[in-house]
Amino acid sequence: MVRRVKETIQKEERQKEANEKNRQKSIKEEEKERRDTVLQSALGNENKGFALLQKMGYKTGQALGKTGKGIVEPIPLNIKTGRSGLGHEEQKKRKAEEKLENYRRKIHMKKQADEQAADQFRVRFKNKQEERKIEGDLRKSQKACQQLDSQKDINIPKEIWYWMESEPEEEKDEEKEEDEDEYKSSDLSASEKLQILTAYLRGEHFYCIWCGTAYEDSEDLSSNCPGDSSAAHD
C-alpha cells in the first residue's frame, strides 16, 4: 500500500515537471531569462568599453579609479516592470506613510478625548456627591436648629431658611416689597448656608451636627469637637 502511494506521488511530480517544460513561456518571462543570463556573465574582450578599460590598465576584480578606491561591482540594474511613471512608487509610499500618520493622529486624539471625557465625568460625579452631602448636612442643621431654638422658646428663626419649614404665606396679593435679607438668603448657595448655620449652632447652642452633641459651653465645644466642618470629622 505504501509503495503504491509513493509511485502515485512520483508519477504526479513527473507529470508536473513535464507540464512545466511544455508550458509556453510568456514574452516577459523569456526577456527576464535572457536578461538574467547576460547580467550573470562577465564582460569579455569583445565589449568595447571593457577593452578600453584594459588598455588603460584595468584588471578584472580591480576597483575603479586612479587610486583604486572606486566601486568593484557594477551598479545594480533595477528593472521597472509596471506601467506607472517614474517616481510613482515613491509617491505611493509617501501617501501610504501620510495615511498611516493621519490614522495614528486620529487614534491619539480619540484617546485624549476619551480620557478628557472620563476625567470630566469623574469630576462631575464627585461634585454631585459633594453637593448631595452638603444638602443633607444642611437639612440636618435646619432640623437641629429648629429643635434647639424651640427649646429656648425661640418661635421665629433668625433667618427664614434656618428652619426646614417656612412661615405660611397669606393668600392675598403681594406688593413685591421684600426685605433685603430675603434677597441675600436666596442668593446663598447650600454650602454658604451650611457654613452660616453651623456657626450659629456652635455659637448659640454649642451644637455640632457631625458630632451629634450639644456641649456645655464654648470651651467644652472647642476641646472635644474636631472642627466646624465635615472634613474635620473624617
Side-chain angles (χ1 to χ4, degrees):
M1 187 67 183
V2 174
R3 186 175 59 187
R4 290 180 181 178
V5 172
K6 288 183 177 179
E7 290 177 353
T8 303
I9 294 173
Q10 290 175 357
K11 186 177 179 180
E12 290 178 354
E13 290 179 352
R14 288 194 298 269
Q15 185 66 35
K16 185 177 180 182
E17 290 176 359
N19 292 337
E20 286 291 332
K21 290 180 181 179
N22 296 328
R23 186 176 65 87
Q24 186 176 3
K25 297 179 180 179
S26 65
I27 297 176
K28 288 185 178 180
E29 288 177 337
E30 292 178 354
E31 289 179 350
K32 185 177 184 302
E33 289 182 357
R34 288 197 300 268
R35 182 169 57 248
D36 292 342
T37 302
V38 173
L39 291 175
Q40 289 174 3
S41 60
L43 294 176
N45 295 328
E46 69 277 2
N47 186 281
K48 294 182 179 181
F50 186 72
L52 288 173
L53 284 174
Q54 286 181 321
K55 288 180 181 180
M56 296 170 65
Y58 174 78
K59 295 180 181 180
T60 304
Q62 181 182 351
L64 297 178
K66 291 182 179 180
T67 58
K69 296 182 179 180
I71 62 174
V72 178
E73 296 294 331
I75 297 174
L77 180 64
N78 295 323
I79 304 300
K80 185 176 179 300
T81 57
R83 302 181 63 184
S84 58
L86 296 175
H88 176 74
E89 292 298 325
E90 191 67 26
Q91 184 179 9
K92 187 177 179 181
K93 181 181 178 182
R94 186 171 62 254
K95 286 184 177 180
E97 291 176 352
E98 291 177 356
K99 186 176 181 180
L100 179 61
E101 184 63 26
N102 291 334
Y103 175 75
R104 288 175 178 172
R105 191 181 297 110
K106 287 180 181 179
I107 293 296
H108 181 67
M109 292 175 64
K110 186 178 184 301
K111 184 179 179 181
Q112 284 186 330
D114 292 342
E115 291 176 353
Q116 186 177 4
D119 292 340
Q120 291 176 352
F121 173 78
R122 284 192 289 268
V123 170
R124 288 197 302 269
F125 184 75
K126 183 179 179 181
N127 292 340
K128 194 69 176 178
Q129 284 185 319
E130 291 177 354
E131 289 176 2
R132 289 176 179 175
K133 190 176 186 307
I134 290 173
E135 290 173 356
D137 290 343
L138 178 60
R139 286 191 294 269
K140 286 169 60 178
S141 299
Q142 289 172 328
K143 290 179 181 178
C145 182
Q146 185 173 359
Q147 183 178 357
L148 293 170
D149 282 350
S150 299
Q151 292 174 1
K152 285 189 175 183
D153 295 329
I154 300 175
N155 298 322
I156 298 175
K158 186 176 180 180
E159 297 289 344
I160 191 78
W161 51 269
Y162 273 30
W163 293 2
M164 283 290 294
E165 297 178 358
S166 303
E167 295 181 356
E169 297 181 358
E170 298 180 1
E171 297 181 356
K172 60 182 180 179
D173 295 334
E174 296 181 356
E175 297 179 357
K176 297 182 181 180
E177 294 180 358
E178 297 181 356
D179 197 25
E180 184 178 353
D181 292 337
E182 292 177 354
Y183 280 115
K184 291 182 180 179
S185 66
S186 63
D187 294 335
L188 295 173
S189 64
S191 177
E192 292 171 335
K193 288 181 179 180
L194 178 61
Q195 291 178 1
I196 295 171
L197 191 51
T198 298
Y200 174 77
L201 290 172
R202 294 173 71 87
E204 184 69 24
H205 302 291
F206 313 115
Y207 181 79
C208 174
I209 63 165
W210 296 288
C211 295
T213 304
Y215 294 92
E216 294 181 0
D217 51 31
S218 60
E219 184 178 353
D220 186 23
L221 175 64
S222 60
S223 299
N224 298 299
C225 179
D228 59 352
S229 66
S230 175
H233 292 75
D234 292 340

